[in-house]
Amino acid sequence: MTDSKYFTTTKKGEIFELKAELNSDKKEKKKEAVKKVIASMTVGKDVSALFPDVVNCMQTDNLELKKLVYLYLMNYAKSQPDMAIMAVNTFVKDCEDPNPLIRALAVRTMGCIRVDKITEYLCEPLRKCLKDEDPYVRKTAAVCVAKLHDINAQLVEDQGFLDTLKDLISDSNPMVVANAVAALSEIAESHPNSNLLDLNPQTINKLLTALNECTEWGQIFILDCLANYTPRDDRESQSICERVTPRLSHANSAVVLSAVKVLMKFMEMLPKDLDYYGTLLKKLAPPLVTLLSAEPELQYVALRNINLIVQRRPEILKHEMKVFFVKYNDPIYVKLEKLDIMIRLASQANIAQVLAELKEYATEVDVDFVRKAVRAIGRCAIKVEQSAERCVSTLLDLIQTKVNYVVQEAIVVIKDIFRKYPNKYESVIGTLCENLDSLDEPEARAAMIWIVGEYAERIDNADELLESFLEGFHDESTQVQLQLLTAIVKLFLKKPTETQELVQQVLSLATQDSDNPDLRDRGYIYWRLLSTDPVAAKEVVLAEKPLISEETDLIEPTLLEELICHIGTLASVYHKPPSAFVEGSRGVQHKRLAGSAGSGESVESPDAGSAAGASEAPPAVIPSQGDLLGDLLNLDLTPPTTAGPPPPPSSGMQMGAMDLLGGGLDSLLGGDLGGSPAMGAGFAAPPAAMPASFSAPVSSGLDDLFDLGGGVGMPMGAYSPPKTVWLPAMKAKGLEISGTFARRAGVIQMEMTLTNKAMSVMTDFAIQFNRNSFGLAPAGPLQVLSPLSPNQSIEVTLPLNTVGPVMKMDPLNNLQVAVKNNIDVFYFSCQYPISMLFVEDGKMERQVFLATWKDIPNDNESQFQIKDCHLSSDASSSKLQGSNIFTIAKRTVEGQDMLYQSMKLTNGIWLLAELRVQTGNPNYTVCLKCRAPEVSQCVFQSYEAVLKN
Amino acid sequence: MIHSLFLVNASGDIFLEKHWKSVVSRSVCDYFFEAQERATEPENVPPVISTPHHYLISVLRHRIYFVAVIQSEVPPLFVIEFLHRVVDTFQDYFGVCTEAAIKDNVVVVYELLEEMLDNGFPLATESNILKELIKPPTILRTMVNTITGSTNVGEQLPTGQLSVVPWRRTGVKYTNNEAYFDVVEEIDAIIDKSGSTITAEIQGVIDACVKLTGMPDLTLSFMNPRLLDDVSFHPCVRFKRWEAERILSFIPPDGNFRLLSYHVSSQNLVAIPVYVKHNITFREGSSQGRFDLTLGPKQTMGKAVESVLVSSQLPRGVLNASLNPSQGTYTFDPVTKLLTWDVGKINPQKLPSLKGTMSLQAGASKPDENPTINIQFKIQQMAISGLKVNRLDMYGEKYKPFKGIKYMTKAGKFQVRT
């Protein structure tokens, strides 16, 4: 007597048979028939033809039959909307039933029927159920609001369900609170700026109370919601942490990880010297370790998150290395993650153990795992200097095994070890060369070629070795070709006499017979370098290489911060920002870790602030010429280096190359330049790090062109404050910088005058911004074309974009800048007028304006007086318009002109303003409403500045 | 939230689908099948798979893949924990969680899934509550239902659903009041070639079977609570009391449940109850290998080591093994190269051993990999960490319950490298 009987069919045809049974008079038979229908449905059979017959069974007192019919309805109502309407009456009646189970069931099912006609009837019952006396019904109704929102968002807003839902956060029953939070979070996901979950200390307190009493799932919703809150001060964050820590002992791992997220985030606010901070760090380790004893799927998610946590706060798990040791029957995805974390935790204290383990892993069966283990040994050598020797000998042992993929991986990592510790382990080169023939993977071949080229003077038959590679040049991958080209040039520079033929051969292969532009360009660069100035060539090609960094594969810090705020989510599993995700997150707000206010990490005063900026952005980040060249030479090896500039885009490379070449290609470009200003404009916003000396002649012309265009294009122009001295010569070894900001033709620009007040020539200028409130960043390198001789001044315009990393500054419009030249790096901070960030499409529709004005809470309104302004309202309006402050409407009441104005910031924040001008009264009143009230002060300053100039 | 659920069997057929929101075509599982094909072993299928429009989060239990489909950002652990709960519930209801059992009870399964999630939000996942809503199928009930026409769906709102103790129903009555606690510890360890411990840790649980009338309030105290510094509790345990006094105080759920699980980390000294002497060698050039294995008890506090089972994945080059066990039986599967030796009990006076030769393919070179030896065992009446319950008291009810506590130590992932 099992349900499998429902799957058996008869000859007559299943549907026919079922139809007859559904219309039977006998209750029992009916129920059995519905069960058969459901059984067919579960295996994906289409039983929608039975819709009317099944719906007829709905009017029943039998709860099981009712539930079964509801199950059917949910599945098929969409395909039969007209029929589904038949069910509405029963639903509405059931919502009034004395049994709360039935009321809840009805409202729950109605929400699942995604048919417009039905949703209209749903509103009234839902409203009642949201206020039902029984909490079971209320909590079901809360979820129903989310369902309805998914079907018809407008309806939910119009009916005011969102407000009712917000009220439920204060419900007396914790389960209702949890469901309300869950529903609001889901709705908020599709409305990123709706401010639905208005978190303030009172609501936080309610949530924390409910946290202790609701179900495990509710706890997850509440914790995830708490993580979005920003505490006002360190005391508040400590008290929240204290109330969240007990969740670390929960049996449900999802609760634990959500709690970890809240703690990791709020911990940032705590001063490091606080006792509690240390206690908290200690408390975080055990639950994370426990997660690793769970099922492998849970382990995997936990490990991905631990990977983030370890990068942010290595101290938490530094003593727990052993739990990451791999068991031989762990699934492969767990093994690989564990290995990653082992390397991150490796230190001088535990390196012996780690190496012994890694060596063990290198003899396992799984190829992917073995490869990663070998690579890990190399990473340990680079990370822990004391272990380098042991690592190298371990790698040599592994090479002796002659297992093909082990040998190849070992050679790739040994190359990195050579770069990290030059002139230390070259004695092993002989052993490496023995394995030359077994290398068949591009990465390993390229690594080996690099080694041969780099140490050509110590390898007697280097020319023969390289020549052997050259035979199949065209069959090699680009990576190997580029490497081979560079290696042979190196060889030539070291042993010019014997290898002239070889170098000519490779240069002609690269420049004449190849379709690959990168390869051709590099070939031409070398060719011209070698033919014009061999000494310079030597300096360039054999230049000292930048060191590779110790930590490899680190996640970029801003991304890491964002990911820490999303611990436990898909984003944290994929190590990608949430914005890169499925449809669900249609515009997630970027979350940042809040710095601690009092801990000395971020300091108020600009001087100290820029010092902090210095430590965050080490000079290496600013691309200097040497680095770029180093990169050019070693780029294709993909060394695991995080220092050093990003690879120059190939357009930059190409231009540089053409310029060097002169000749035919050059004229081709030159001709284009003269004829087509469009192209000039395209180039004039230089994409990124282009070596200054390379691009000089071409882009100077372009720049002029562009400057001219900029000047003409904006006759009225946005307001731009006069230049002020940002960096006095006293503080910058003779370099004086004065400047201002402007917005011209939609482009934000930083206009600077650089003056050399020192006795020596200044060259190699570069600029870098610290993170700032609106993500301002240079859109290209600083174009200082000729060296700046003593007592010379030069005007420089730096176009900016707003796609840089964001960090809230105080004041909001503060910008910290680092400027580098051949003498030193200097830091200063300046403030930009916020009006520069008002975009051109900041004019709001009248209707939208009215609605938005009403929608923004009055708390966000602020007022401000502008004194001694003698413009008429029209003049003000046109003046403001020049700075992208648009007047939408004007109203005159009792001699007072009211101008309604809107503007939009580059990050999409709208600002609404009301400007009151009384004739004869020089004092204006500005009234400002914005969802982000903290910008108001800056906006007022801009108003005043624009109107008075 | 969780959009849909597909159940996939070992041969890659979808045998059940359930949608909590709109219907997602089962073709979404193609991405899962692709990953399944790529994986060398069934358990190597990655738990999170992204597809252009959805994410698939899966767990493998009882040789069934439970594949959840999600569309928006949902914590993956939340989904995995929920899937585990589904598996547990099926097991609880049908005794086993197999394809056959699920197909046999497909309507109950459907009702359960509908009750567990609403629009992707968990609704009722406590087995106590579910059992009040949907009665588990029993032969007797099926018969009675067919005769009387009554149903197996509860008509009343489950009492526990909204109370502060959602895990316990009201009105529980027993004629024999009893409470049993099992302290079960598993040792996970890696032992290296030379016999020294690389890492060893203990995963412990206290499982309870409580059949007590009314609303009993229990307290459980330990002789050495300091051992428990890393614990996860059942929601019924009052955390504050534990923090302050190191006493477990709780109103228990009715029936079987896991009161707490704990972890004794590798930083503490963990006793290793067995040792292995091994000599597995292959000589270069010869097609023979030697196999020699002896087991012995180590730190067992005088308790017997029972149900010992040794297994090892021998290198691929091994064709066959001819071995001689001093006790128990061994098998060698020439296809999977898995050697298992069912030892039974270890007699400290006469240590069990397995000796003999392995034959290799003629002319093949000596295998690179060293086999790892996996050991399972049980030790009754002992918790290897030394954890001991001090006393168990009951408040809130008048009767005198029968109380019992059992200890057991098992091997978890206990591996010896050679």
Side-chain angles (χ1 to χ4, degrees):
Chain A
M1 289 296 285
T2 66
D3 291 354
S4 53
K5 64 177 187 261
Y6 300 129
F7 289 116
T8 52
T9 55
T10 54
K11 283 175 193 156
K12 259 189 176 174
E14 206 178 5
I15 301 286
F16 180 82
E17 188 108 320
L18 283 171
K19 215 178 179 93
E21 282 178 40
L22 283 169
N23 291 316
S24 149
D25 294 333
K26 283 190 194 132
K27 254 188 181 175
E28 248 337 276
K29 206 150 195 190
K30 253 188 189 174
K31 199 168 87 186
E32 289 298 293
V34 177
K35 282 193 175 181
K36 279 184 199 169
V37 174
I38 301 283
S40 312
M41 196 172 82
T42 56
V43 290
K45 270 186 205 160
D46 183 17
V47 281
S48 59
L50 295 167
F51 199 89
D53 309 281
V54 177
V55 173
N56 274 336
C57 303
M58 192 171 159
Q59 289 269 14
T60 171
D61 300 330
N62 184 318
L63 190 59
E64 185 178 19
L65 185 55
K66 201 183 256 307
K67 278 191 171 179
L68 291 171
V69 175
Y70 280 179
L71 272 178
Y72 178 89
L73 265 176
M74 284 186 235
N75 232 9
Y76 286 114
K78 187 126 204 197
S79 55
Q80 312 259 341
D82 294 330
M83 292 289 206
I85 221 88
M86 289 164 42
V88 165
N89 262 333
T90 322
F91 278 130
V92 176
K93 214 176 84 200
D94 280 355
C95 286
E96 309 271 335
D97 198 279
N99 184 346
L101 200 57
I102 299 204
R103 292 203 295 276
L105 184 65
V107 74
R108 189 175 128 199
T109 314
M110 259 179 117
C112 291
I113 298 180
R114 307 172 64 88
V115 175
D116 278 343
K117 281 182 197 155
I118 290 213
T119 40
E120 284 167 30
Y121 291 99
L122 176 61
C123 293
E124 277 322 301
L126 178 58
R127 199 186 314 281
K128 261 186 219 150
C129 287
L130 279 168
K131 304 222 157 97
D132 199 286
E133 53 175 17
D134 194 305
Y136 181 74
V137 181
R138 289 203 299 277
K139 84 171 194 165
T140 314
V143 174
C144 190
V145 175
K147 293 181 197 170
L148 189 58
H149 188 270
D150 194 30
I151 304 168
N152 190 342
Q154 195 56 46
L155 186 71
V156 171
E157 273 165 48
D158 294 347
Q159 296 279 336
F161 285 141
L162 291 182
D163 293 324
T164 325
L165 205 51
K166 280 186 211 166
D167 293 342
L168 285 185
I169 290 187
S170 319
D171 199 280
S172 56
N173 186 296
M175 254 73 89
V176 179
V177 177
N179 273 15
V181 169
L184 281 172
S185 307
E186 187 170 86
I187 295 172
E189 219 171 76
S190 51
H191 286 249
N193 295 320
S194 53
N195 218 0
L196 271 178
L197 277 162
D198 184 24
L199 296 175
N200 55 46
Q202 286 78 41
T203 45
I204 290 295
N205 205 18
K206 279 176 201 151
L207 291 181
L208 285 168
T209 313
L211 183 63
N212 288 326
E213 290 166 11
C214 66
T215 65
E216 49 199 314
W217 313 110
Q219 295 183 12
I220 301 172
F221 298 135
I222 292 182
L223 286 168
D224 285 347
C225 175
L226 276 177
N228 290 331
Y229 177 66
T230 316
R232 287 161 306 172
D233 51 33
D234 50 337
R235 281 186 47 209
E236 191 185 7
S237 56
Q238 178 173 348
S239 88
I240 295 176
C241 287
E242 279 166 357
R243 293 176 73 177
V244 167
T245 6
R247 298 301 122 207
L248 293 175
S249 301
H250 202 285
N252 186 320
S253 60
V255 176
V256 174
L257 204 55
S258 289
V260 169
K261 160 164 59 188
V262 175
L263 296 174
M264 281 295 285
K265 191 179 171 200
F266 288 6
M267 213 155 91
E268 300 286 330
M269 299 271 295
L270 299 176
K272 298 238 174 342
D273 44 1
L274 196 72
D275 286 345
Y276 182 70
Y277 179 83
T279 323
L280 198 55
L281 274 183
K282 276 201 204 101
K283 280 194 175 160
L284 277 170
L288 290 173
V289 170
T290 304
L291 288 179
L292 295 179
S293 52
E295 288 81 356
E297 295 93 355
L298 293 170
Q299 279 188 46
Y300 172 73
V301 177
L303 284 165
R304 292 296 284 174
N305 282 287
I306 288 173
N307 199 331
L308 297 174
I309 294 168
V310 164
Q311 287 185 54
R312 179 77 198 169
R313 299 205 176 278
E315 61 271 33
I316 294 178
L317 287 167
K318 68 178 172 203
H319 297 304
E320 302 289 348
M321 173 60 95
K322 283 184 173 175
V323 298
F324 299 103
F325 285 179
V326 172
K327 310 242 165 55
Y328 86 100
N329 46 3
D330 283 333
I332 181 73
Y333 55 82
V334 169
K335 284 183 177 175
L336 296 176
E337 291 307 317
K338 279 188 173 174
L339 205 51
D340 239 353
I341 295 170
M342 279 174 69
I343 304 164
R344 294 211 193 285
L345 289 177
S347 66
Q348 202 184 334
N350 55 24
I351 193 73
Q353 270 185 325
V354 174
L355 264 182
E357 280 294 304
L358 291 175
K359 201 175 169 187
E360 194 72 42
Y361 303 160
T363 62
E364 281 216 26
V365 191
D366 194 291
V367 178
D368 283 340
F369 181 58
V370 172
R371 279 174 181 275
K372 195 156 181 175
V374 175
R375 216 162 256 234
I377 296 174
R379 280 167 66 181
C380 284
I382 290 164
K383 192 175 173 197
V384 185
E385 184 161 2
Q386 293 80 0
S387 75
E389 189 142 2
R390 275 231 288 284
C391 294
V392 171
S393 77
T394 309
L395 287 168
L396 283 178
D397 286 351
L398 290 171
I399 289 178
Q400 298 303 349
T401 64
K402 303 277 179 195
V403 179
N404 186 289
Y405 52 85
V406 174
V407 174
Q408 310 214 37
E409 286 297 326
I411 287 186
V412 172
V413 291
I414 285 181
K415 177 215 64 190
D416 287 340
I417 297 176
F418 281 173
R419 280 201 57 192
K420 169 81 183 183
Y421 309 108
N423 305 319
K424 222 169 163 185
Y425 300 110
E426 283 73 9
S427 52
V428 307
I429 289 175
T431 323
L432 301 185
C433 290
E434 287 164 21
N435 292 286
L436 213 59
D437 301 331
S438 63
L439 308 179
D440 52 9
E441 289 161 26
E443 204 180 353
R445 286 174 84 83
M448 192 64 219
I449 294 169
W450 183 87
I451 293 171
V452 174
E454 188 66 20
Y455 299 102
E457 68 273 24
R458 306 189 194 192
I459 306 171
D460 297 334
N461 59 344
D463 47 343
E464 284 169 35
L465 292 176
L466 291 176
E467 199 171 358
S468 69
F469 281 104
L470 207 54
E471 282 160 17
F473 189 76
H474 289 299
D475 302 327
E476 299 283 1
S477 72
T478 311
Q479 187 185 11
V480 180
Q481 289 176 333
L482 286 168
Q483 203 44 240
L484 194 52
L485 171 62
T486 308
I488 293 180
V489 172
K490 280 185 196 163
L491 173 69
F492 171 71
L493 290 167
K494 287 175 177 173
K495 299 180 178 172
T497 45
E498 310 128 57
T499 55
Q500 211 156 2
E501 204 175 306
L502 194 61
V503 78
Q504 263 165 5
Q505 200 184 342
V506 77
L507 285 175
S508 84
L509 276 173
T511 53
Q512 285 160 24
D513 301 341
S514 170
D515 306 332
N516 186 321
D518 286 349
L519 186 63
R520 266 202 325 258
D521 290 343
R522 191 182 290 189
Y524 280 125
I525 294 175
Y526 285 144
W527 202 323
R528 275 182 62 92
L529 261 175
L530 292 173
S531 57
T532 47
D533 188 354
V535 181
K538 206 162 190 164
E539 268 170 36
V540 171
V541 178
L542 302 180
E544 200 168 309
K545 278 159 289 298
L547 283 183
I548 59 177
S549 73
E550 297 190 352
E551 279 288 346
T552 48
D553 297 344
L554 281 184
I555 295 177
E556 192 251 327
T558 46
L559 177 60
L560 181 63
E561 279 186 18
E562 194 177 350
L563 288 176
I564 288 286
C565 299
H566 288 98
I567 284 178
T569 64
L570 280 172
S572 72
V573 171
Y574 281 96
H575 292 183
K576 280 182 195 158
S579 48
F581 275 88
V582 258
E583 285 99 86
S585 49
R586 264 159 276 186
V588 183
Q589 286 151 312
H590 286 260
K591 293 180 192 168
R592 295 251 164 269
L593 291 173
S596 156
S599 70
E601 262 195 317
S602 75
V603 193
E604 318 298 287
S605 86
D607 271 350
S610 50
S615 63
E616 273 167 39
V621 178
I622 299 176
S624 74
Q625 207 170 338
D627 279 358
L628 272 174
L629 281 173
D631 219 72
L632 199 83
L633 294 174
N634 292 304
L635 194 78
D636 37 280
L637 273 176
T638 53
T641 154
T642 43
S650 55
S651 72
M653 293 261 302
Q654 241 162 300
M655 272 184 72
M658 286 170 189
D659 182 43
L660 263 174
L661 285 171
L665 280 169
D666 208 15
S667 66
L668 213 143
L669 180 68
D672 257 354
L673 261 181
S676 138
M679 175 156 176
F683 278 138
M690 187 193 297
S693 63
F694 278 9
S695 59
V698 179
S699 43
S700 71
L702 292 176
D703 248 23
D704 288 350
L705 226 153
F706 182 66
D707 273 349
L708 204 79
V712 175
M714 209 58 206
M716 238 182 70
Y719 159 72
S720 157
K723 280 188 181 170
T724 49
V725 175
W726 284 339
L727 183 69
M730 296 271 290
K731 283 193 176 173
K733 301 187 180 164
L735 174 69
E736 184 184 277
I737 300 179
S738 59
T740 181
F741 293 90
R743 186 182 182 89
R744 301 198 198 281
V747 180
I748 307 167
Q749 292 178 348
M750 188 162 164
E751 297 176 346
M752 286 177 286
T753 307
L754 309 182
T755 312
N756 183 353
K757 297 196 169 170
M759 302 301 285
S760 60
V761 176
M762 291 178 181
T763 55
D764 297 344
F765 287 94
I767 193 162
Q768 187 93 4
F769 292 179
N770 195 2
R771 284 182 285 173
N772 53 68
S773 315
F774 294 95
L776 279 174
L782 190 62
Q783 299 279 344
V784 182
L785 306 163
S786 43
L788 199 56
S789 17
N791 280 326
Q792 196 193 356
S793 281
I794 183 170
E795 304 278 330
V796 190
T797 304
L798 180 70
L800 308 181
N801 58 32
T802 51
V803 295
V806 177
M807 182 174 78
K808 197 173 166 188
M809 301 294 291
D810 189 39
L812 211 57
N813 56 347
N814 195 21
L815 179 69
Q816 294 175 348
V817 184
V819 168
K820 173 187 167 300
N821 62 10
N822 58 336
I823 299 167
D824 204 349
V825 185
F826 311 104
Y827 303 95
F828 62 86
S829 68
C830 52
Q831 292 182 9
Y832 47 89
I834 205 162
S835 59
M836 169 182 104
L837 298 170
F838 296 159
V839 295
E840 278 66 24
D841 62 344
K843 188 160 186 171
M844 213 180 225
E845 292 288 320
R846 272 173 175 233
Q847 292 302 322
V848 184
F849 184 91
L850 274 177
T852 319
W853 186 271
K854 276 188 209 144
D855 198 33
I856 298 177
N858 280 339
D859 302 350
N860 286 4
E861 184 173 322
S862 40
Q863 261 199 16
F864 187 71
Q865 290 265 328
I866 299 172
K867 295 202 166 73
D868 295 326
C869 195
H870 299 282
L871 293 164
S872 73
S873 60
D874 286 341
S876 319
S877 167
S878 67
K879 207 162 186 180
L880 288 168
Q881 177 126 16
S883 292
N884 292 339
I885 300 173
F886 299 97
T887 305
I888 291 164
K890 184 179 161 183
R891 197 155 65 107
T892 311
V893 182
E894 297 165 5
Q896 189 174 8
D897 286 340
M898 320 261 246
L899 299 176
Y900 293 94
Q901 301 174 317
S902 76
M903 58 223 99
K904 188 170 124 188
L905 292 171
T906 44
N907 57 2
I909 294 180
W910 283 93
L911 296 149
L912 310 182
E914 182 193 63
L915 179 68
R916 269 174 269 169
V917 181
Q918 185 113 38
T919 1
N921 184 350
N923 293 352
Y924 293 181
T925 310
V926 185
C927 187
L928 199 70
K929 264 190 162 187
C930 175
R931 292 197 200 275
E934 53 270 39
V935 300
S936 305
Q937 197 53 39
C938 301
V939 175
F940 288 136
Q941 288 165 7
S942 286
Y943 257 90
E944 188 154 27
V946 172
L947 287 173
K948 290 192 173 170
N949 281 283
Chain B
M1 291 293 118
I2 301 171
H3 216 102
S4 305
L5 174 71
F6 293 94
L7 301 194
V8 178
N9 62 17
S11 49
D13 300 320
I14 302 171
F15 66 92
L16 187 103
E17 59 181 78
K18 165 80 187 135
H19 307 277
W20 284 278
K21 292 182 166 188
S22 50
V23 177
V24 177
S25 156
R26 52 166 67 193
S27 63
V28 75
C29 287
D30 291 349
Y31 295 96
F32 178 79
F33 296 138
E34 262 172 46
Q36 199 185 1
E37 239 163 69
R38 268 199 302 275
T40 45
E41 304 278 331
E43 54 268 27
N44 281 350
V45 179
V48 186
I49 299 170
S50 68
T51 79
H53 300 287
H54 301 92
Y55 282 83
L56 306 179
I57 297 181
S58 62
V59 301
L60 175 66
R61 288 290 171 282
H62 308 286
R63 304 183 53 220
I64 300 172
Y65 292 101
F66 291 75
V67 185
V69 182
I70 58 172
Q71 204 160 23
S72 56
E73 177 67 90
V74 180
L77 279 187
F78 167 96
V79 181
I80 295 174
E81 282 281 1
F82 175 78
L83 293 177
H84 284 165
R85 215 53 62 85
V86 171
V87 179
D88 293 347
T89 309
F90 287 174
Q91 198 152 20
D92 199 19
Y93 265 72
F94 316 129
V96 284
C97 180
T98 60
E99 184 179 352
I102 292 171
K103 277 187 172 163
D104 282 350
N105 297 288
V106 72
V107 176
V108 178
V109 165
Y110 229 64
E111 285 171 336
L112 279 172
L113 290 175
E114 184 58 32
E115 214 52 65
M116 291 178 85
L117 277 190
D118 175 19
N119 197 37
F121 296 103
L123 201 60
T125 51
E126 286 285 339
S127 88
N128 260 310
I129 295 175
L130 282 170
K131 283 190 176 158
E132 278 185 64
L133 284 167
I134 300 158
K135 306 228 167 62
T138 58
I139 293 172
L140 185 68
R141 184 166 299 122
T142 331
M143 302 242 298
V144 172
N145 284 357
T146 15
I147 297 161
T148 62
S150 62
T151 73
N152 61 343
V153 169
E155 301 266 347
Q156 289 305 311
L157 190 61
T159 44
Q161 182 92 329
L162 289 159
S163 72
V164 267
V165 278
W167 52 85
R168 189 173 179 89
R169 58 194 171 97
T170 49
V172 184
K173 267 211 174 81
Y174 288 101
T175 41
N176 293 326
N177 288 297
E178 43 195 22
Y180 297 107
F181 292 86
D182 290 353
V183 180
V184 182
E185 295 191 341
E186 288 191 5
I187 313 183
D188 288 349
I190 303 177
I191 313 285
D192 77 357
K193 269 193 225 356
S194 60
S196 52
T197 310
I198 293 180
T199 164
E201 47 190 350
I202 297 169
Q203 318 291 346
V205 295
I206 299 182
D207 283 337
C209 176
V210 176
K211 293 181 174 169
L212 296 174
T213 307
M215 273 285 170
D217 198 331
L218 303 180
T219 57
L220 187 72
S221 62
F222 298 95
M223 306 275 262
N224 38 9
R226 267 184 307 118
L227 277 170
L228 303 177
D229 63 341
D230 180 4
V231 277
S232 308
F233 296 117
H234 187 277
C236 69
V237 176
R238 297 184 181 98
F239 189 77
K240 285 231 170 75
R241 188 91 191 267
W242 170 257
E243 283 277 88
E245 305 169 49
R246 298 276 141 175
I247 286 175
L248 292 177
S249 154
F250 55 98
I251 295 173
D254 184 40
N256 293 312
F257 65 100
R258 176 154 295 174
L259 179 63
L260 89 157
S261 52
Y262 58 95
H263 178 252
V264 180
S265 74
S266 52
Q267 284 169 47
N268 299 37
L269 270 182
V270 173
I272 302 292
V274 292
Y275 71 88
V276 181
K277 271 203 265 181
H278 53 81
N279 184 10
I280 302 172
T281 48
F282 302 95
R283 247 174 304 133
E284 199 69 65
S286 118
S287 60
Q288 289 272 315
R290 261 188 63 199
F291 189 99
D292 190 341
L293 203 73
T294 309
L295 292 174
K298 221 169 156 185
Q299 295 149 301
T300 61
M301 297 182 235
K303 302 280 190 305
V305 184
E306 299 168 326
S307 314
V308 181
L309 186 77
V310 176
S311 61
S312 178
Q313 185 81 44
L314 295 185
R316 270 169 296 185
V318 176
L319 279 184
N320 215 335
S322 94
L323 306 171
N324 186 20
S326 71
Q327 71 179 75
T329 51
Y330 86 96
T331 53
F332 177 72
D333 183 341
V335 181
T336 59
K337 315 291 181 201
L338 186 69
L339 174 78
T340 47
W341 176 27
D342 191 345
V343 185
K345 195 169 162 180
I346 296 183
N347 178 357
Q349 268 71 54
K350 191 172 164 290
L351 297 178
S353 65
L354 182 67
K355 291 178 185 168
T357 55
M358 297 169 289
S359 51
L360 295 172
Q361 239 156 348
S365 63
K366 146 182 181 262
D368 311 317
E369 69 257 35
N370 304 320
T372 303
I373 300 164
N374 214 9
I375 302 176
Q376 285 164 297
F377 55 82
K378 274 184 195 159
I379 305 169
Q380 302 283 358
Q381 300 161 357
M382 178 187 79
I384 194 89
S385 69
L387 187 73
K388 264 212 151 65
V389 172
N390 186 21
R391 53 184 297 143
L392 175 70
D393 297 302
M394 186 184 74
Y395 304 93
E397 295 288 338
K398 293 263 182 310
Y399 55 85
K400 242 183 131 66
F402 185 79
K403 304 177 276 194
I405 291 174
K406 238 171 43 181
Y407 299 91
M408 178 153 76
T409 298
K410 287 198 285 190
K413 286 185 166 185
F414 195 97
Q415 308 182 346
V416 181
R417 291 178 182 158
T418 62

